[in-house]
Amino acid sequence: MDIQELHGIVVGAGIGGLSAAAMLARRGMQVTVLEAGSYPGGCAGTFASGGYRFDAGATVGCGFHKGAPLDLLGAELGIEWPVSPEPVAWQYRSRGRRLGLSSDRREVAARFPGSLPFWEEQAKVAGILWRLSKSGLPWPPSSPTDLPGLLRKALPEIAGAVPVAKLVGRTAYEWLSCHGLQRHPEFVRLIDAQLLISAQALSTEVNALVAAIALDLPVSGTWRVRGGIGRVAELLASSIERDGGAVLYGKKVNRIDTIRREVLGVETDAGDALAADLVIANLTPETLAGIEGGPAAAGMPGARLEWGAFMLYLGMDSSAFAGAGCDHLQIVDADGGLGEGNSLFVSASAEGEEGRAPAGQRAVTVSTHTRPGPWFEALRNGREAYLGMKEQYTRRVLGLLRQEMPEAEGAIRTVTAATPVTWERWTGRRGGFVGGYAQRTLFGVPGPATAFDNLFFAGDSVFPGQSLPGVVTGARRTVELALRRARKIRL
């Protein structure tokens, strides 16, 4: 059967689902995207509130450089992304010190002179792994059956860049130890802070190969998306519609109809029943498992969702960022664990960016990792307990922000807080988990496949870390697998 005769349904208009739908629509498939919310983007959407337009979760544009996943996707779909490069990916602040993270690692190497050999190895290995993922090889491997083919292609390249024994089966911390860098707590904390936002775990837990690609984010460069990060989703949705597909909002899927190992279609809470030859779920496995008729959640070793996010959406005077030197800041407290208000990521809209904030102000998104469980427990204990916890976290986050960014004092005009409870309501992600799985092992990420032959995953549960480029790379892997399966089933 020709691809033009197939009808695909994508559940969820996050970046992963939209990317997969756009690629299928461009190839001629009839595609319908069903989104429960009122606008596209999910965790990478941009929403309006009180005269501001805030980036909901993802705030840093990346993967737009030449040959990168967003660049390739744009060329394939005929999209010209409204982006401009940031001179500094973001600024790391801790103990009153400031360190710019950028493509040349200049400031990091100057602050930690002994780290240069490590960074050279990391760059080589990350480049190899990105090339492998773009060539269709199953990176990261989702099961032991993926490993032989991957190693056969990857080992010769990796061995030429760095002794394989340093990486295979080792943690990032052990890799640092090979260079004697474990003796520098400040450097380890810098690495841990980077890994937490891109691999959802610390150096003592993250596999070294996964760390190599996760640490590549600031090196690859970041880009400002005019209009907010949600413009990426809006342009993908427009591409789908331009190629004959449909993106429907206010359509929450509440049932999946199946027979044996095949999905026949889906039903929505609005009473719609849609037949499909293949279905792609831009949902976490746990969320899909909660839909009637859906498959059980993935049971891969080490694959469990752990982190949510506590967010503050701030309207701030532009003057607070006048001397910052960067619109993205990673602020880390000197002591204590990371997350739960001890580490923040701060992103501000560009100065004078039209439509994002009132004149002389900026829309600022501040996030910190948090465990969702205690938030839902507080809610069960009553609204007062939940609101008290929300107020406590708000004070903690604002306290650290003012400590490392004194200019924020007196510059904050509005404050809106969001918790994992909010994330569950906004995005439908069961339990309010965001960011994907913690990458502790090479087999910590479920692949696109499910127990049904024509039902597949897209989103941050398919490819670890790296924000937009990781999700787009995962979507491409999903599309290729889905089309191979569809042709096999029809034959």
Side-chain angles (χ1 to χ4, degrees):
M1 179 175 285
D2 194 87
I3 189 173
Q4 283 82 6
E5 300 177 64
L6 297 176
H7 182 213
I9 289 176
V10 175
V11 183
I15 298 297
L18 291 171
S19 297
M23 284 186 267
L24 290 171
R26 177 51 56 107
R27 300 182 195 195
M29 183 179 289
Q30 303 169 57
V31 180
T32 301
V33 180
L34 302 175
E35 167 58 41
S38 58
Y39 59 89
C43 295
T46 300
F47 68 96
S49 177
Y52 301 88
R53 283 185 57 79
F54 295 104
D55 289 336
T59 56
V60 178
C62 46
F64 293 98
H65 56 283
K66 186 67 175 176
L70 273 294
D71 176 63
L72 297 175
L73 182 63
E76 178 179 343
L77 301 177
I79 296 175
E80 185 173 345
W81 304 111
V83 298
S84 54
E86 302 269 23
V88 177
W90 62 80
Q91 189 181 85
Y92 178 84
R93 295 189 179 190
S94 184
R95 302 174 185 266
R97 296 191 178 116
R98 303 182 180 188
L99 192 63
L101 304 184
S102 60
S103 57
D104 60 15
R105 300 262 193 220
R106 182 169 29 195
E107 290 189 41
V108 177
R111 179 74 186 84
F112 305 101
S115 67
L116 197 54
F118 168 77
W119 291 123
E120 290 173 346
E121 286 183 354
Q122 177 273 325
K124 290 177 182 176
V125 174
I128 292 168
L129 295 177
W130 275 118
R131 286 197 298 277
L132 292 174
S133 67
K134 285 189 286 190
S135 67
L137 285 175
W139 171 261
S142 57
S143 71
T145 59
D146 287 340
L147 197 57
L150 180 63
L151 292 180
R152 189 167 55 251
K153 296 286 184 70
L155 281 179
E157 285 201 66
I158 295 177
V162 57
V164 177
K166 282 188 178 183
L167 302 181
V168 177
R170 293 199 176 199
T171 65
Y173 186 82
E174 290 169 330
W175 188 12
L176 295 177
S177 299
C178 292
H179 294 275
L181 296 170
Q182 85 286 359
R183 296 192 297 267
H184 303 283
E186 188 180 353
F187 184 76
V188 173
R189 195 159 179 82
L190 169 68
I191 296 297
D192 282 341
Q194 310 313 306
L195 291 177
L196 185 61
I197 63 174
S198 54
Q200 306 299 316
L202 305 182
S203 60
T204 53
E205 306 167 300
V206 176
N207 175 267
L209 285 175
V210 174
I213 204 167
L215 291 169
D216 203 50
L217 177 54
V219 179
S220 298
T222 57
W223 301 68
R224 177 171 296 283
V225 183
R226 293 187 294 279
I229 204 77
R231 283 294 294 150
V232 175
E234 291 167 4
L235 290 168
L236 288 172
S238 295
S239 174
I240 294 165
E241 293 167 342
R242 188 168 57 249
D243 286 329
V247 182
L248 306 179
Y249 300 100
K251 302 290 186 180
K252 181 179 181 180
V253 172
N254 59 3
R255 178 179 171 82
I256 299 173
D257 297 315
T258 64
I259 181 170
R260 293 184 291 276
R261 288 176 53 88
E262 185 173 0
V263 173
L264 303 178
V266 302
E267 300 176 25
T268 74
D269 59 358
D272 308 292
L274 295 89
D277 296 293
L278 68 87
V279 176
I280 294 175
N282 188 188
L283 308 171
T284 66
E286 290 76 7
T287 303
L288 184 62
I291 297 176
E292 184 180 354
M300 301 299 292
R304 65 182 187 275
L305 294 169
E306 300 177 12
W307 288 108
F310 176 79
M311 314 289 301
L312 289 183
Y313 302 106
L314 309 177
M316 292 182 64
D317 293 340
S318 291
S319 58
F321 288 86
C326 185
D327 291 335
H328 304 288
L329 310 175
Q330 186 177 31
I331 295 176
V332 178
D333 202 357
D335 303 303
L338 295 174
E340 308 299 352
N342 290 323
S343 58
L344 314 175
F345 201 90
V346 182
S347 288
S349 60
E351 183 175 9
E353 185 175 2
E354 188 176 354
R356 293 294 305 277
Q361 297 185 38
R362 301 200 195 189
V364 180
T365 299
V366 183
S367 63
T368 185
H369 282 68
T370 187
R371 304 289 185 184
W375 290 97
F376 287 91
E377 183 179 350
L379 187 61
R380 287 191 294 271
N381 290 333
R383 193 72 182 168
E384 186 177 344
Y386 172 72
L387 293 177
M389 186 173 179
K390 200 173 181 180
E391 177 59 28
Q392 177 189 4
Y393 268 69
T394 298
R395 288 197 304 269
R396 184 185 306 174
V397 168
L398 290 178
L400 181 56
L401 176 66
R402 291 177 177 125
Q403 174 185 309
E404 295 292 337
M405 187 183 181
E407 301 89 345
E409 190 68 49
I412 299 172
R413 300 303 172 197
T414 66
V415 180
T416 303
T419 76
V421 176
T422 319
W423 278 107
E424 184 181 64
R425 185 174 70 249
W426 277 357
T427 66
R429 293 172 72 106
R430 195 174 185 182
F433 293 97
V434 296
Y437 290 97
Q439 302 306 302
R440 292 189 172 86
T441 73
L442 282 176
F443 306 108
V445 181
T450 71
F452 295 98
D453 292 334
N454 61 336
L455 174 63
F456 307 91
F457 285 115
D460 59 14
S461 61
V462 176
F463 194 97
Q466 279 288 329
S467 187
L468 299 184
V471 169
V472 169
T473 300
R476 190 173 293 281
R477 180 178 174 186
T478 295
V479 165
E480 297 301 331
L481 176 60
L483 291 179
R484 287 199 303 270
R485 287 275 188 89
R487 294 186 184 105
K488 183 177 179 181
I489 289 170
R490 295 305 168 191
L491 288 173

